[in-house]
Structures are given as structure tokens and as C-alpha cells.
Amino acid sequence: MIDDNKKAVLGFFEAVSDRRVEDLPQYVAQDVVDHNKIIHGEPDEPGAAFEGLRQQLAAFDPLTVQVEELIGEGDQVVARVIQRGVHSGTHPRMPEPTGRSFENEAIWILTLTEGKISGIRAVSDRLGLFFQLGWPWPQTD
């Protein structure tokens, strides 16, 4: 089971990197819950991660996710990845493309149910991302 889950996670990251949005349902459950929100303002409901991923791909072209390590236990897979991209499209946090590139490290904790990703938690160097892209740091209310 763990090896099958790792294969699903690798397939997910490959589909994202190859911009194959139509293939995401092979790896991600329709009711996936993204606990950390891929995009600011994404609806807080199962399945909203699909729109978040579409927005990421629209904002960053190219966008690649290179898997450096995978660790599996039970129904979870942890991936340490290097994310690279260019801000070439509109993004809810910064509508005007900067044309700048970024590279940052992230840790994704993915829960799988019946061979598909059903839960997403991720931590990345967002401060570094904002600095690399020249974005202002978000303000809190």
C-alpha cells in the first residue's frame, strides 16, 4: 500500500509539473481537503484544491515540483520538494505578473484514501517566495 501511495504522489507532482490538469483526478480525490489553502481566498470546502491548483498554474508558467524525498507510513506520504516557477500570470495576491522566478523548498503531508490524495497539508518558505517575486508581505487585519 505504501509503495502504491508513493506512486500516486509522484504522479500528482508530475501532472502538476507537466500542466496536465485533466490528469489530476487520477491522483486526487474529488472531495480532497486542503488544510492550508493553496491560494489565499480559496473556498473552505472539499474539492476546492482543484481550483487552487488551476490558479497556481495560471499564475506560474513554468511551475515545476521536483520531489527530493518521499517517506510513507500508513495512509500518509510526506514529500520534500523543490518548487520552481516564474510569475507570468495573474495571481489573487499579486494580480500584475512580475516576470520574476522563484525556487523554494516545501514539505507536503498527503493523506491517501483508496489510492488517491484525500488530504493536503504543506509548509513552504513563503517569505522567501514573496521576496524572490518582489511581492509585498501580506498585511493582517
Side-chain angles (χ1 to χ4, degrees):
M1 178 170 112
I2 291 173
D3 286 339
D4 289 341
N5 286 347
K6 287 181 179 180
K7 287 178 188 173
V9 168
L10 285 172
F12 164 70
F13 287 126
E14 288 171 5
V16 169
S17 294
D18 293 341
R19 309 183 79 74
R20 292 183 284 115
V21 176
E22 68 280 0
D23 289 349
L24 291 177
Q26 292 179 40
Y27 310 106
V28 182
Q30 286 299 317
D31 60 350
V32 62
V33 176
D34 177 10
H35 296 280
N36 56 278
K37 306 294 175 255
I38 294 171
I39 293 282
H40 176 72
E42 171 182 319
D44 189 15
E45 58 191 32
F50 284 97
E51 181 58 24
L53 286 166
R54 278 190 275 282
Q55 289 181 19
Q56 287 285 83
L57 291 171
F60 300 104
D61 189 4
L63 175 65
T64 60
V65 184
Q66 178 181 326
V67 176
E68 298 289 314
E69 292 181 71
L70 283 180
I71 301 167
E73 183 175 330
D75 64 351
Q76 292 189 311
V77 174
V78 176
R80 183 177 67 82
V81 303
I82 304 296
Q83 304 170 143
R84 295 179 181 90
V86 174
H87 182 214
S88 56
T90 302
H91 186 286
R93 289 189 190 219
M94 182 62 67
E96 292 298 318
T98 62
R100 295 172 71 171
S101 62
F102 76 92
E103 176 177 312
N104 72 349
E105 188 172 40
I107 303 292
W108 291 61
I109 303 171
L110 303 156
T111 301
L112 288 92
T113 304
E114 297 177 6
K116 292 188 177 188
I117 297 167
S118 58
I120 300 172
R121 294 188 188 275
V123 178
S124 67
D125 176 13
R126 295 222 174 145
L127 180 60
L129 172 74
F130 276 60
F131 282 143
Q132 290 175 66
L133 295 178
W135 292 359
W137 190 244
Q139 302 299 310
T140 58
D141 296 332

